[in-house]
Amino acid sequence: MHNRRCVFRDNPDLNDPDFFEKVMSVIDKLKADGVSFELISDEASQVTKLHQIAYQAMNDVGAELTLVRNLHDEICYATMSSKQSWISKRARELFHETVSCYSINELIDVCSRRFFDPNMIIALGLLGRKPEAEMIKTISMNLDSALPKVRYCAARAAGITQWQAFVPDLEMMLKMETDPDAREAAEHALAVCMRNSR
């Protein structure tokens, strides 16, 4: 499967009419390209703090579009999965044309500054498709931050990517981590990154 993600600026509400109209514009353009989608679920959970809306392609192209708003981490993003790479690539292009989205380079720059919103590290992790030196450097640097919230977000980002490159940094972090949330995120991240290294 080919996966692409877009992280939207300003954490939009999935129920906002203006945002919904932009999403429908993307879906309409994909339909014009020959890929029709139908709504398959719209669920919000107080337990997971997630609101997810999923669309599935009606024709046999094996494509799914999922919009996620993470209320805990204050991040909203879209994931396009497809058997055909052009579909996920086209969806990403359309979202960038229609909705204000972050770029990888922009997030690397933001997360390298002295003061920034730690949730942007999670956003960076969400955009990682393959291990890239600058992304690894940026996330790893923040695993060693003096601020527990930053370390938590960096561990979450490492876990989202599942890249084995983070194993040494996560092991080092866990030797000294005292914050329970950051420790839990690092333990989870280490487990998934080690599983991916086999």
Side-chain angles (χ1 to χ4, degrees), residues 25-56:
S25 168
V26 169
I27 288 173
D28 287 344
K29 288 175 183 173
L30 286 168
K31 183 177 182 179
D33 291 337
V35 186
S36 298
F37 285 91
E38 64 180 344
L39 178 69
I40 57 172
S41 68
D42 184 347
E43 300 171 354
S45 168
Q46 290 301 318
V47 176
T48 62
K49 301 283 188 201
L50 295 177
H51 180 189
Q52 295 186 65
I53 302 175
Y55 298 88
Q56 189 169 17

PDB file of all heavy atoms in Angstrom, residues 25-56:
ATOM      1  N   SER A  25     -14.256  19.247  -1.713  1.00  0.00           N
ATOM      2  CA  SER A  25     -13.667  19.709  -2.969  1.00  0.00           C
ATOM      3  C   SER A  25     -12.560  18.746  -3.415  1.00  0.00           C
ATOM      4  O   SER A  25     -12.460  18.407  -4.605  1.00  0.00           O
ATOM      5  CB  SER A  25     -13.099  21.120  -2.777  1.00  0.00           C
ATOM      6  OG  SER A  25     -12.296  21.486  -3.855  1.00  0.00           O
ATOM      7  N   VAL A  26     -11.741  18.287  -2.462  1.00  0.00           N
ATOM      8  CA  VAL A  26     -10.686  17.308  -2.773  1.00  0.00           C
ATOM      9  C   VAL A  26     -11.312  16.012  -3.262  1.00  0.00           C
ATOM     10  O   VAL A  26     -10.888  15.434  -4.277  1.00  0.00           O
ATOM     11  CB  VAL A  26      -9.782  17.049  -1.533  1.00  0.00           C
ATOM     12  CG1 VAL A  26      -8.869  15.858  -1.762  1.00  0.00           C
ATOM     13  CG2 VAL A  26      -8.975  18.302  -1.202  1.00  0.00           C
ATOM     14  N   ILE A  27     -12.343  15.544  -2.576  1.00  0.00           N
ATOM     15  CA  ILE A  27     -13.018  14.293  -2.951  1.00  0.00           C
ATOM     16  C   ILE A  27     -13.655  14.416  -4.337  1.00  0.00           C
ATOM     17  O   ILE A  27     -13.582  13.491  -5.146  1.00  0.00           O
ATOM     18  CB  ILE A  27     -14.038  13.891  -1.871  1.00  0.00           C
ATOM     19  CG1 ILE A  27     -13.271  13.412  -0.623  1.00  0.00           C
ATOM     20  CG2 ILE A  27     -14.994  12.812  -2.370  1.00  0.00           C
ATOM     21  CD1 ILE A  27     -14.122  13.135   0.586  1.00  0.00           C
ATOM     22  N   ASP A  28     -14.244  15.581  -4.639  1.00  0.00           N
ATOM     23  CA  ASP A  28     -14.843  15.806  -5.962  1.00  0.00           C
ATOM     24  C   ASP A  28     -13.779  15.788  -7.068  1.00  0.00           C
ATOM     25  O   ASP A  28     -14.005  15.246  -8.152  1.00  0.00           O
ATOM     26  CB  ASP A  28     -15.600  17.136  -5.998  1.00  0.00           C
ATOM     27  CG  ASP A  28     -16.906  17.095  -5.209  1.00  0.00           C
ATOM     28  OD1 ASP A  28     -17.387  15.980  -4.893  1.00  0.00           O
ATOM     29  OD2 ASP A  28     -17.424  18.190  -4.884  1.00  0.00           O
ATOM     30  N   LYS A  29     -12.610  16.368  -6.783  1.00  0.00           N
ATOM     31  CA  LYS A  29     -11.534  16.380  -7.785  1.00  0.00           C
ATOM     32  C   LYS A  29     -10.979  14.979  -8.007  1.00  0.00           C
ATOM     33  O   LYS A  29     -10.632  14.611  -9.132  1.00  0.00           O
ATOM     34  CB  LYS A  29     -10.440  17.356  -7.373  1.00  0.00           C
ATOM     35  CG  LYS A  29     -10.866  18.810  -7.510  1.00  0.00           C
ATOM     36  CD  LYS A  29      -9.822  19.764  -6.986  1.00  0.00           C
ATOM     37  CE  LYS A  29     -10.342  21.199  -7.092  1.00  0.00           C
ATOM     38  NZ  LYS A  29      -9.441  22.168  -6.452  1.00  0.00           N
ATOM     39  N   LEU A  30     -10.914  14.185  -6.923  1.00  0.00           N
ATOM     40  CA  LEU A  30     -10.480  12.793  -7.078  1.00  0.00           C
ATOM     41  C   LEU A  30     -11.493  12.005  -7.902  1.00  0.00           C
ATOM     42  O   LEU A  30     -11.127  11.159  -8.712  1.00  0.00           O
ATOM     43  CB  LEU A  30     -10.280  12.136  -5.705  1.00  0.00           C
ATOM     44  CG  LEU A  30      -9.027  12.582  -4.942  1.00  0.00           C
ATOM     45  CD1 LEU A  30      -9.084  12.107  -3.499  1.00  0.00           C
ATOM     46  CD2 LEU A  30      -7.767  12.077  -5.626  1.00  0.00           C
ATOM     47  N   LYS A  31     -12.782  12.332  -7.724  1.00  0.00           N
ATOM     48  CA  LYS A  31     -13.835  11.676  -8.515  1.00  0.00           C
ATOM     49  C   LYS A  31     -13.662  12.023  -9.996  1.00  0.00           C
ATOM     50  O   LYS A  31     -13.821  11.157 -10.865  1.00  0.00           O
ATOM     51  CB  LYS A  31     -15.211  12.114  -8.023  1.00  0.00           C
ATOM     52  CG  LYS A  31     -16.355  11.424  -8.727  1.00  0.00           C
ATOM     53  CD  LYS A  31     -17.690  11.847  -8.147  1.00  0.00           C
ATOM     54  CE  LYS A  31     -18.831  11.109  -8.835  1.00  0.00           C
ATOM     55  NZ  LYS A  31     -20.136  11.474  -8.275  1.00  0.00           N
ATOM     56  N   ALA A  32     -13.316  13.267 -10.277  1.00  0.00           N
ATOM     57  CA  ALA A  32     -13.078  13.685 -11.667  1.00  0.00           C
ATOM     58  C   ALA A  32     -11.878  12.939 -12.260  1.00  0.00           C
ATOM     59  O   ALA A  32     -11.800  12.738 -13.474  1.00  0.00           O
ATOM     60  CB  ALA A  32     -12.846  15.194 -11.737  1.00  0.00           C
ATOM     61  N   ASP A  33     -10.954  12.510 -11.387  1.00  0.00           N
ATOM     62  CA  ASP A  33      -9.793  11.723 -11.827  1.00  0.00           C
ATOM     63  C   ASP A  33     -10.112  10.235 -11.923  1.00  0.00           C
ATOM     64  O   ASP A  33      -9.239   9.422 -12.231  1.00  0.00           O
ATOM     65  CB  ASP A  33      -8.615  11.915 -10.854  1.00  0.00           C
ATOM     66  CG  ASP A  33      -8.019  13.304 -10.913  1.00  0.00           C
ATOM     67  OD1 ASP A  33      -8.175  13.976 -11.951  1.00  0.00           O
ATOM     68  OD2 ASP A  33      -7.393  13.730  -9.917  1.00  0.00           O
ATOM     69  N   GLY A  34     -11.363   9.857 -11.604  1.00  0.00           N
ATOM     70  CA  GLY A  34     -11.781   8.463 -11.745  1.00  0.00           C
ATOM     71  C   GLY A  34     -11.814   7.657 -10.454  1.00  0.00           C
ATOM     72  O   GLY A  34     -11.989   6.438 -10.488  1.00  0.00           O
ATOM     73  N   VAL A  35     -11.657   8.329  -9.300  1.00  0.00           N
ATOM     74  CA  VAL A  35     -11.678   7.622  -8.013  1.00  0.00           C
ATOM     75  C   VAL A  35     -12.799   8.201  -7.158  1.00  0.00           C
ATOM     76  O   VAL A  35     -12.685   9.311  -6.627  1.00  0.00           O
ATOM     77  CB  VAL A  35     -10.321   7.748  -7.271  1.00  0.00           C
ATOM     78  CG1 VAL A  35     -10.333   6.890  -6.008  1.00  0.00           C
ATOM     79  CG2 VAL A  35      -9.173   7.352  -8.172  1.00  0.00           C
ATOM     80  N   SER A  36     -13.894   7.464  -7.044  1.00  0.00           N
ATOM     81  CA  SER A  36     -15.055   7.915  -6.270  1.00  0.00           C
ATOM     82  C   SER A  36     -15.001   7.349  -4.859  1.00  0.00           C
ATOM     83  O   SER A  36     -14.734   6.157  -4.668  1.00  0.00           O
ATOM     84  CB  SER A  36     -16.353   7.470  -6.938  1.00  0.00           C
ATOM     85  OG  SER A  36     -16.459   8.050  -8.210  1.00  0.00           O
ATOM     86  N   PHE A  37     -15.283   8.197  -3.885  1.00  0.00           N
ATOM     87  CA  PHE A  37     -15.255   7.785  -2.482  1.00  0.00           C
ATOM     88  C   PHE A  37     -16.637   7.862  -1.867  1.00  0.00           C
ATOM     89  O   PHE A  37     -17.455   8.698  -2.234  1.00  0.00           O
ATOM     90  CB  PHE A  37     -14.311   8.685  -1.671  1.00  0.00           C
ATOM     91  CG  PHE A  37     -12.861   8.407  -1.919  1.00  0.00           C
ATOM     92  CD1 PHE A  37     -12.180   9.090  -2.918  1.00  0.00           C
ATOM     93  CD2 PHE A  37     -12.177   7.481  -1.170  1.00  0.00           C
ATOM     94  CE1 PHE A  37     -10.837   8.842  -3.152  1.00  0.00           C
ATOM     95  CE2 PHE A  37     -10.835   7.225  -1.393  1.00  0.00           C
ATOM     96  CZ  PHE A  37     -10.168   7.903  -2.389  1.00  0.00           C
ATOM     97  N   GLU A  38     -16.865   6.970  -0.893  1.00  0.00           N
ATOM     98  CA  GLU A  38     -18.083   7.034  -0.090  1.00  0.00           C
ATOM     99  C   GLU A  38     -17.692   7.019   1.380  1.00  0.00           C
ATOM    100  O   GLU A  38     -16.691   6.415   1.771  1.00  0.00           O
ATOM    101  CB  GLU A  38     -19.017   5.858  -0.408  1.00  0.00           C
ATOM    102  CG  GLU A  38     -18.455   4.495  -0.057  1.00  0.00           C
ATOM    103  CD  GLU A  38     -19.423   3.366  -0.394  1.00  0.00           C
ATOM    104  OE1 GLU A  38     -20.604   3.636  -0.615  1.00  0.00           O
ATOM    105  OE2 GLU A  38     -18.966   2.213  -0.430  1.00  0.00           O
ATOM    106  N   LEU A  39     -18.475   7.703   2.184  1.00  0.00           N
ATOM    107  CA  LEU A  39     -18.253   7.759   3.623  1.00  0.00           C
ATOM    108  C   LEU A  39     -18.516   6.384   4.224  1.00  0.00           C
ATOM    109  O   LEU A  39     -19.559   5.788   3.970  1.00  0.00           O
ATOM    110  CB  LEU A  39     -19.181   8.798   4.258  1.00  0.00           C
ATOM    111  CG  LEU A  39     -19.115   8.943   5.776  1.00  0.00           C
ATOM    112  CD1 LEU A  39     -17.786   9.556   6.198  1.00  0.00           C
ATOM    113  CD2 LEU A  39     -20.276   9.809   6.254  1.00  0.00           C
ATOM    114  N   ILE A  40     -17.566   5.865   5.021  1.00  0.00           N
ATOM    115  CA  ILE A  40     -17.801   4.568   5.667  1.00  0.00           C
ATOM    116  C   ILE A  40     -17.894   4.691   7.187  1.00  0.00           C
ATOM    117  O   ILE A  40     -18.484   3.839   7.838  1.00  0.00           O
ATOM    118  CB  ILE A  40     -16.738   3.508   5.280  1.00  0.00           C
ATOM    119  CG1 ILE A  40     -15.330   3.968   5.600  1.00  0.00           C
ATOM    120  CG2 ILE A  40     -16.879   3.118   3.828  1.00  0.00           C
ATOM    121  CD1 ILE A  40     -14.268   2.889   5.422  1.00  0.00           C
ATOM    122  N   SER A  41     -17.313   5.770   7.774  1.00  0.00           N
ATOM    123  CA  SER A  41     -17.471   5.959   9.216  1.00  0.00           C
ATOM    124  C   SER A  41     -17.148   7.389   9.618  1.00  0.00           C
ATOM    125  O   SER A  41     -16.369   8.076   8.963  1.00  0.00           O
ATOM    126  CB  SER A  41     -16.579   4.988  10.001  1.00  0.00           C
ATOM    127  OG  SER A  41     -15.217   5.305   9.833  1.00  0.00           O
ATOM    128  N   ASP A  42     -17.773   7.814  10.705  1.00  0.00           N
ATOM    129  CA  ASP A  42     -17.532   9.119  11.318  1.00  0.00           C
ATOM    130  C   ASP A  42     -17.672   8.898  12.813  1.00  0.00           C
ATOM    131  O   ASP A  42     -18.781   8.798  13.324  1.00  0.00           O
ATOM    132  CB  ASP A  42     -18.539  10.150  10.807  1.00  0.00           C
ATOM    133  CG  ASP A  42     -18.278  11.551  11.340  1.00  0.00           C
ATOM    134  OD1 ASP A  42     -17.486  11.700  12.293  1.00  0.00           O
ATOM    135  OD2 ASP A  42     -18.876  12.504  10.804  1.00  0.00           O
ATOM    136  N   GLU A  43     -16.527   8.765  13.490  1.00  0.00           N
ATOM    137  CA  GLU A  43     -16.556   8.391  14.904  1.00  0.00           C
ATOM    138  C   GLU A  43     -15.697   9.333  15.736  1.00  0.00           C
ATOM    139  O   GLU A  43     -14.595   9.696  15.346  1.00  0.00           O
ATOM    140  CB  GLU A  43     -16.021   6.961  15.090  1.00  0.00           C
ATOM    141  CG  GLU A  43     -16.817   5.927  14.332  1.00  0.00           C
ATOM    142  CD  GLU A  43     -16.158   4.549  14.344  1.00  0.00           C
ATOM    143  OE1 GLU A  43     -15.021   4.422  14.847  1.00  0.00           O
ATOM    144  OE2 GLU A  43     -16.786   3.612  13.845  1.00  0.00           O
ATOM    145  N   ALA A  44     -16.212   9.697  16.893  1.00  0.00           N
ATOM    146  CA  ALA A  44     -15.464  10.485  17.867  1.00  0.00           C
ATOM    147  C   ALA A  44     -15.468   9.718  19.179  1.00  0.00           C
ATOM    148  O   ALA A  44     -16.495   9.175  19.582  1.00  0.00           O
ATOM    149  CB  ALA A  44     -16.103  11.856  18.043  1.00  0.00           C
ATOM    150  N   SER A  45     -14.308   9.667  19.827  1.00  0.00           N
ATOM    151  CA  SER A  45     -14.186   8.921  21.078  1.00  0.00           C
ATOM    152  C   SER A  45     -13.605   9.804  22.169  1.00  0.00           C
ATOM    153  O   SER A  45     -12.550  10.420  21.979  1.00  0.00           O
ATOM    154  CB  SER A  45     -13.289   7.695  20.882  1.00  0.00           C
ATOM    155  OG  SER A  45     -12.954   7.125  22.119  1.00  0.00           O
ATOM    156  N   GLN A  46     -14.288   9.850  23.306  1.00  0.00           N
ATOM    157  CA  GLN A  46     -13.764  10.575  24.459  1.00  0.00           C
ATOM    158  C   GLN A  46     -12.602   9.811  25.092  1.00  0.00           C
ATOM    159  O   GLN A  46     -11.754  10.393  25.754  1.00  0.00           O
ATOM    160  CB  GLN A  46     -14.881  10.812  25.484  1.00  0.00           C
ATOM    161  CG  GLN A  46     -15.927  11.799  25.029  1.00  0.00           C
ATOM    162  CD  GLN A  46     -15.330  13.163  24.718  1.00  0.00           C
ATOM    163  OE1 GLN A  46     -14.472  13.660  25.440  1.00  0.00           O
ATOM    164  NE2 GLN A  46     -15.758  13.770  23.615  1.00  0.00           N
ATOM    165  N   VAL A  47     -12.579   8.493  24.903  1.00  0.00           N
ATOM    166  CA  VAL A  47     -11.526   7.662  25.490  1.00  0.00           C
ATOM    167  C   VAL A  47     -10.203   7.892  24.769  1.00  0.00           C
ATOM    168  O   VAL A  47      -9.178   8.185  25.390  1.00  0.00           O
ATOM    169  CB  VAL A  47     -11.913   6.162  25.447  1.00  0.00           C
ATOM    170  CG1 VAL A  47     -10.781   5.292  25.965  1.00  0.00           C
ATOM    171  CG2 VAL A  47     -13.181   5.921  26.248  1.00  0.00           C
ATOM    172  N   THR A  48     -10.201   7.750  23.439  1.00  0.00           N
ATOM    173  CA  THR A  48      -8.968   7.908  22.666  1.00  0.00           C
ATOM    174  C   THR A  48      -8.686   9.368  22.309  1.00  0.00           C
ATOM    175  O   THR A  48      -7.597   9.687  21.832  1.00  0.00           O
ATOM    176  CB  THR A  48      -9.027   7.097  21.361  1.00  0.00           C
ATOM    177  OG1 THR A  48     -10.106   7.595  20.556  1.00  0.00           O
ATOM    178  CG2 THR A  48      -9.207   5.620  21.639  1.00  0.00           C
ATOM    179  N   LYS A  49      -9.669  10.236  22.504  1.00  0.00           N
ATOM    180  CA  LYS A  49      -9.551  11.657  22.150  1.00  0.00           C
ATOM    181  C   LYS A  49      -9.327  11.853  20.656  1.00  0.00           C
ATOM    182  O   LYS A  49      -8.607  12.753  20.222  1.00  0.00           O
ATOM    183  CB  LYS A  49      -8.426  12.341  22.935  1.00  0.00           C
ATOM    184  CG  LYS A  49      -8.583  12.290  24.434  1.00  0.00           C
ATOM    185  CD  LYS A  49      -9.599  13.273  24.896  1.00  0.00           C
ATOM    186  CE  LYS A  49      -9.609  13.359  26.417  1.00  0.00           C
ATOM    187  NZ  LYS A  49     -10.826  13.885  26.923  1.00  0.00           N
ATOM    188  N   LEU A  50      -9.924  10.951  19.854  1.00  0.00           N
ATOM    189  CA  LEU A  50      -9.796  11.037  18.410  1.00  0.00           C
ATOM    190  C   LEU A  50     -11.159  11.213  17.755  1.00  0.00           C
ATOM    191  O   LEU A  50     -12.140  10.615  18.187  1.00  0.00           O
ATOM    192  CB  LEU A  50      -9.159   9.761  17.840  1.00  0.00           C
ATOM    193  CG  LEU A  50      -7.731   9.429  18.221  1.00  0.00           C
ATOM    194  CD1 LEU A  50      -7.332   8.097  17.612  1.00  0.00           C
ATOM    195  CD2 LEU A  50      -6.766  10.520  17.788  1.00  0.00           C
ATOM    196  N   HIS A  51     -11.189  12.023  16.718  1.00  0.00           N
ATOM    197  CA  HIS A  51     -12.349  12.116  15.834  1.00  0.00           C
ATOM    198  C   HIS A  51     -11.836  11.665  14.470  1.00  0.00           C
ATOM    199  O   HIS A  51     -10.894  12.252  13.935  1.00  0.00           O
ATOM    200  CB  HIS A  51     -12.884  13.540  15.774  1.00  0.00           C
ATOM    201  CG  HIS A  51     -14.082  13.681  14.884  1.00  0.00           C
ATOM    202  ND1 HIS A  51     -14.601  14.893  14.541  1.00  0.00           N
ATOM    203  CD2 HIS A  51     -14.877  12.767  14.263  1.00  0.00           C
ATOM    204  CE1 HIS A  51     -15.649  14.734  13.745  1.00  0.00           C
ATOM    205  NE2 HIS A  51     -15.827  13.449  13.555  1.00  0.00           N
ATOM    206  N   GLN A  52     -12.429  10.591  13.933  1.00  0.00           N
ATOM    207  CA  GLN A  52     -11.975  10.038  12.660  1.00  0.00           C
ATOM    208  C   GLN A  52     -13.139   9.940  11.675  1.00  0.00           C
ATOM    209  O   GLN A  52     -14.218   9.478  12.037  1.00  0.00           O
ATOM    210  CB  GLN A  52     -11.394   8.638  12.849  1.00  0.00           C
ATOM    211  CG  GLN A  52     -10.145   8.626  13.695  1.00  0.00           C
ATOM    212  CD  GLN A  52      -9.516   7.254  13.741  1.00  0.00           C
ATOM    213  OE1 GLN A  52      -9.056   6.757  12.722  1.00  0.00           O
ATOM    214  NE2 GLN A  52      -9.489   6.644  14.915  1.00  0.00           N
ATOM    215  N   ILE A  53     -12.868  10.367  10.467  1.00  0.00           N
ATOM    216  CA  ILE A  53     -13.825  10.227   9.370  1.00  0.00           C
ATOM    217  C   ILE A  53     -13.118   9.444   8.268  1.00  0.00           C
ATOM    218  O   ILE A  53     -12.028   9.829   7.837  1.00  0.00           O
ATOM    219  CB  ILE A  53     -14.291  11.593   8.836  1.00  0.00           C
ATOM    220  CG1 ILE A  53     -14.940  12.419   9.960  1.00  0.00           C
ATOM    221  CG2 ILE A  53     -15.265  11.412   7.675  1.00  0.00           C
ATOM    222  CD1 ILE A  53     -15.315  13.834   9.549  1.00  0.00           C
ATOM    223  N   ALA A  54     -13.726   8.348   7.841  1.00  0.00           N
ATOM    224  CA  ALA A  54     -13.091   7.489   6.830  1.00  0.00           C
ATOM    225  C   ALA A  54     -13.954   7.382   5.584  1.00  0.00           C
ATOM    226  O   ALA A  54     -15.179   7.225   5.670  1.00  0.00           O
ATOM    227  CB  ALA A  54     -12.820   6.103   7.407  1.00  0.00           C
ATOM    228  N   TYR A  55     -13.289   7.478   4.449  1.00  0.00           N
ATOM    229  CA  TYR A  55     -13.915   7.310   3.136  1.00  0.00           C
ATOM    230  C   TYR A  55     -13.212   6.155   2.431  1.00  0.00           C
ATOM    231  O   TYR A  55     -11.997   6.009   2.523  1.00  0.00           O
ATOM    232  CB  TYR A  55     -13.760   8.573   2.285  1.00  0.00           C
ATOM    233  CG  TYR A  55     -14.422   9.793   2.849  1.00  0.00           C
ATOM    234  CD1 TYR A  55     -13.750  10.621   3.747  1.00  0.00           C
ATOM    235  CD2 TYR A  55     -15.718  10.143   2.485  1.00  0.00           C
ATOM    236  CE1 TYR A  55     -14.352  11.764   4.264  1.00  0.00           C
ATOM    237  CE2 TYR A  55     -16.323  11.283   2.992  1.00  0.00           C
ATOM    238  CZ  TYR A  55     -15.630  12.090   3.888  1.00  0.00           C
ATOM    239  OH  TYR A  55     -16.228  13.213   4.400  1.00  0.00           O
ATOM    240  N   GLN A  56     -13.992   5.376   1.683  1.00  0.00           N
ATOM    241  CA  GLN A  56     -13.415   4.260   0.936  1.00  0.00           C
ATOM    242  C   GLN A  56     -13.780   4.413  -0.530  1.00  0.00           C
ATOM    243  O   GLN A  56     -14.890   4.840  -0.872  1.00  0.00           O
ATOM    244  CB  GLN A  56     -13.958   2.939   1.474  1.00  0.00           C
ATOM    245  CG  GLN A  56     -13.256   1.729   0.911  1.00  0.00           C
ATOM    246  CD  GLN A  56     -13.641   0.466   1.672  1.00  0.00           C
ATOM    247  OE1 GLN A  56     -14.626   0.430   2.389  1.00  0.00           O
ATOM    248  NE2 GLN A  56     -12.847  -0.568   1.513  1.00  0.00           N
TER     249      GLN A  56
END
